Amino acid sequence: MKLQQRIDAFVALGDKLRTLDTETSEMLSRRANDDNGWFNETTVGNAIKGITKMLEKDTLSNWVSSYTSTEENPKNVLVVMAGNIPAVGFHDALSVLISGNTLMAKLSSQDTFLMKILLDWLIQLEPRFKDRVIFLEEPAKNIDKVIATGSDNSTRYFVKYFSKFPNIIRANRSSVAVIRGDESKETLAKLGDDIFLYYGLGCRNISKIYTPAGYDHKLLMEALEDRAKETIINHKYANNYDYNKSIYLVNKVEHLDNGGLILTKSEDMVSPISVLYYEEYENGQELKLKLSENQEKIQCIVTDGQWLAGSEDFGQAQFPNVDTYADNVDTLEFLSPILA
């Protein structure tokens, strides 16, 4: 199968996902929820939206244009997928298959149905992928390369057992927003998707904000209030909110609360579900130092209008481009060496 044929197959999958009828969409959400109680119509719908963004013909063609195709020498690539948000392993699967390699997929028990049906649909659209997609039930054999994503605990296991293979191993990361201080309430409200989509469970969810010294955080909490109250309707999120709120009240921890989100000061990077941390900076130099010190823990940074170099715009953290790589490690280069 040639590169253009692989591209065409994924474009066809994108077209199929864009035109799903209501009954099929509801089925996807219901079955995904069986695997993971956090998955619902909203989160699955947003995940599908993000995938279709990647599967535009021009987008895929431009993405792979500067890489060497490995179709004459395919490798067996084990991909150990996470299950924290719906179809989070899709980009790795796309990268393996579009580069001409064989996908050995170890699906997460938290996201089995959705990932499997997406790949099954791909095979229906292009049957030649059948020999290039292997769903693993037993320990993998004949591995050439490994991509594994998991918690900090599981990555220690991955490092131990996959060290003899060329690998990409990803541990826990989180994302941050930087506030300049002059953003309007309407602009700050755009952070709603970055914070609340997937209930804060993804590595691209904002778990911490950096604000200038003396900033009035009440403006931010007011801007996010409507979205917070929409999110707390989910009983699992609400349970986390009630628990964290009670802990802060009992321990007399200073915080702000808008009825669905708790904001408190902390130097930690990863906040509990329903909690947003903040840390202040005095000037640009101090901000740069703080971000640099935590570089290995940060997945992405968002700012209004991308005013900070290397940042993404408010509201876009959950909709990365196809060439936006987890941990800033170029997956496609790892799979198919880039041309000189």
Side-chain angles (χ1 to χ4, degrees):
M1 190 172 14
K2 300 299 183 181
L3 174 59
Q4 189 58 54
Q5 293 169 324
R6 299 195 296 271
I7 291 174
D8 290 344
F10 277 104
V11 171
L13 177 61
D15 291 340
K16 179 180 178 69
L17 295 177
R18 289 184 198 91
T19 56
L20 291 178
D21 57 43
T22 301
E23 183 179 356
T24 303
S25 296
E26 290 176 349
M27 179 274 293
L28 290 179
S29 301
R30 184 174 63 254
R31 294 290 301 276
N33 184 260
D34 291 340
D35 284 340
N36 191 325
W38 286 103
F39 295 178
N40 55 33
E41 186 175 352
T42 299
T43 56
V44 172
N46 276 287
I48 297 297
K49 178 182 176 182
I51 289 171
T52 59
K53 175 184 174 182
M54 299 179 187
L55 301 185
E56 297 280 356
K57 185 172 184 177
D58 288 346
T59 298
L60 290 175
S61 296
N62 292 336
W63 177 42
V64 301
S65 62
S66 59
Y67 296 82
T68 303
S69 173
T70 59
E71 57 199 30
E72 300 302 327
N73 185 27
K75 302 295 184 182
N76 294 326
V77 184
L78 170 63
V79 179
V80 182
M81 300 183 184
N84 51 322
I85 65 175
V88 69
F90 182 83
H91 188 273
D92 285 335
L94 167 63
S95 299
V96 171
L97 294 174
I98 209 161
S99 60
N101 294 295
T102 298
L103 171 66
M104 307 174 74
K106 178 58 178 175
L107 304 180
S108 167
S109 61
Q110 295 292 298
D111 187 22
T112 299
F113 172 77
L114 195 57
M115 275 304 310
K116 190 170 189 305
I117 197 169
L118 289 172
L119 292 169
D120 283 344
W121 282 344
L122 177 69
I123 293 169
Q124 289 173 19
L125 293 164
E126 176 46 87
R128 283 173 292 187
F129 271 127
K130 184 175 182 180
D131 295 333
R132 293 291 178 91
V133 177
I134 301 169
F135 296 107
L136 292 175
E137 300 295 338
E138 304 294 333
K141 298 179 181 179
N142 302 317
I143 301 170
D144 294 311
K145 294 185 178 183
V146 176
I147 301 173
T149 305
S151 66
D152 288 342
N153 286 333
S154 60
T155 52
R156 285 192 281 270
Y157 166 87
F158 295 154
V159 169
K160 178 179 178 181
Y161 286 94
F162 299 137
S163 59
K164 62 182 178 180
F165 304 105
N167 65 68
I168 296 175
I169 295 177
R170 309 188 189 106
N172 284 342
R173 287 201 181 205
S174 60
S175 298
V176 302
V178 179
I179 291 178
R180 189 173 49 236
D182 59 355
E183 295 89 350
S184 67
K185 183 177 178 180
E186 291 72 23
T187 296
L188 293 171
K190 295 178 182 179
L191 282 168
D193 277 350
D194 301 331
I195 295 169
F196 295 107
L197 263 184
Y198 310 117
Y199 304 104
L201 293 165
C203 63
R204 295 183 67 86
N205 279 106
I206 303 303
S207 60
K208 182 171 185 171
I209 58 170
Y210 289 93
T211 59
Y215 180 74
D216 184 1
H217 295 90
K218 291 181 181 179
L219 177 63
L220 172 67
M221 294 298 276
E222 290 172 1
L224 296 171
E225 183 174 351
D226 289 345
R227 188 60 180 274
K229 291 181 176 178
E230 291 174 6
T231 306
I232 203 170
I233 293 172
N234 181 285
H235 74 279
K236 292 174 73 68
Y237 182 92
N239 289 340
N240 281 270
Y241 168 82
D242 290 339
Y243 173 80
N244 289 313
K245 181 177 180 178
S246 65
I247 292 295
Y248 289 144
L249 289 173
V250 168
N251 293 328
K252 298 180 180 180
V253 176
E254 186 175 348
H255 65 278
L256 292 176
D257 181 357
N258 64 8
L261 180 69
I262 299 165
L263 179 72
T264 189
K265 191 172 185 178
S266 175
E267 293 185 359
D268 292 340
M269 297 301 295
V270 182
S271 59
I273 295 171
S274 78
V275 177
L276 181 65
Y277 288 152
Y278 77 88
E279 188 173 345
E280 295 179 328
Y281 63 91
E282 291 288 345
N283 50 54
Q285 184 176 359
E286 184 181 10
L287 171 63
K288 184 177 180 180
L289 179 61
K290 289 177 182 290
L291 294 174
S292 177
E293 289 175 342
N294 292 290
Q295 183 177 0
E296 296 303 314
K297 301 176 183 178
I298 296 174
Q299 188 65 261
C300 74
I301 302 169
V302 298
T303 60
D304 175 31
Q306 300 174 279
W307 64 265
L308 189 66
S311 66
E312 301 176 32
D313 204 0
F314 282 178
Q316 296 303 305
Q318 299 297 348
F319 302 101
N321 295 323
V322 71
D323 59 354
T324 301
Y325 300 103
D327 297 7
N328 296 315
V329 177
D330 189 328
T331 314
L332 209 56
E333 181 179 5
F334 168 75
L335 294 166
S336 178
I338 198 165
L339 288 169

